[in-house]
Amino acid sequence: MDLIIQATIGHRSFEHFDISRLSIDLVQFAALLIIALRANRNYPLGLAAAQLLAIVGNLAALFHRDGWNEAYWAMTQMPILLQLSILAGGLWAHRRRVSRIGNYNSWSPRMAGGRGFS
């Protein structure tokens, strides 16, 4: 999504707060949170938590405009590395569990008569 925005409106730097970065991070957080609430695994919660760090980085840049460009970059881009390591660890644990106990339910079952997430 970020590449599409850069192709349409041009290159963006980390010198100033950018609402499009915050918007992308909010959408990603919402999607990861929905997946984490339904998944029968724990690592999606870690992915959502790391995405929340990126949102906090955006908010810090919004409220403290002077001298935060390195911190803005670090707080919005470094959680990606954390997410990749969490994803790798989660997938490794999943493969190990499948080899040990066989296939298991990937998604949390819905409660009888309930709506939404269970």
Side-chain angles (χ1 to χ4, degrees):
M1 190 68 171
D2 194 40
L3 293 175
I4 293 171
I5 291 173
Q6 285 187 30
T8 57
I9 64 172
H11 179 71
R12 300 169 299 152
S13 71
F14 287 93
E15 292 179 20
H16 303 289
F17 171 75
D18 189 356
I19 190 71
S20 65
R21 280 195 178 94
L22 177 60
S23 301
I24 291 169
D25 287 339
L26 286 170
V27 169
Q28 288 175 340
F29 175 70
L32 287 170
L33 187 61
I34 289 169
I35 290 169
L37 291 175
R38 291 278 299 142
N40 194 17
R41 293 168 179 78
N42 290 328
Y43 72 90
L45 287 172
L47 297 175
Q51 191 62 37
L52 191 58
L53 291 175
I55 292 171
V56 169
N58 278 292
L59 295 177
L62 174 64
F63 294 119
H64 300 285
R65 296 181 183 264
D66 296 329
W68 280 77
N69 54 354
E70 289 88 9
Y72 183 33
W73 175 84
M75 289 183 73
T76 57
Q77 302 303 301
M78 296 306 285
I80 294 169
L81 298 176
L82 180 59
Q83 288 173 323
L84 286 174
S85 62
I86 291 169
L87 182 62
L91 291 176
W92 174 79
H94 167 70
R95 294 300 308 155
R96 203 170 130 221
R97 192 177 307 115
V98 167
S99 68
R100 192 179 64 226
I101 65 172
N103 288 333
Y104 61 98
N105 189 13
S106 298
W107 302 102
S108 298
R110 292 185 183 268
M111 298 291 284
R115 294 177 55 175
F117 298 113
S118 306

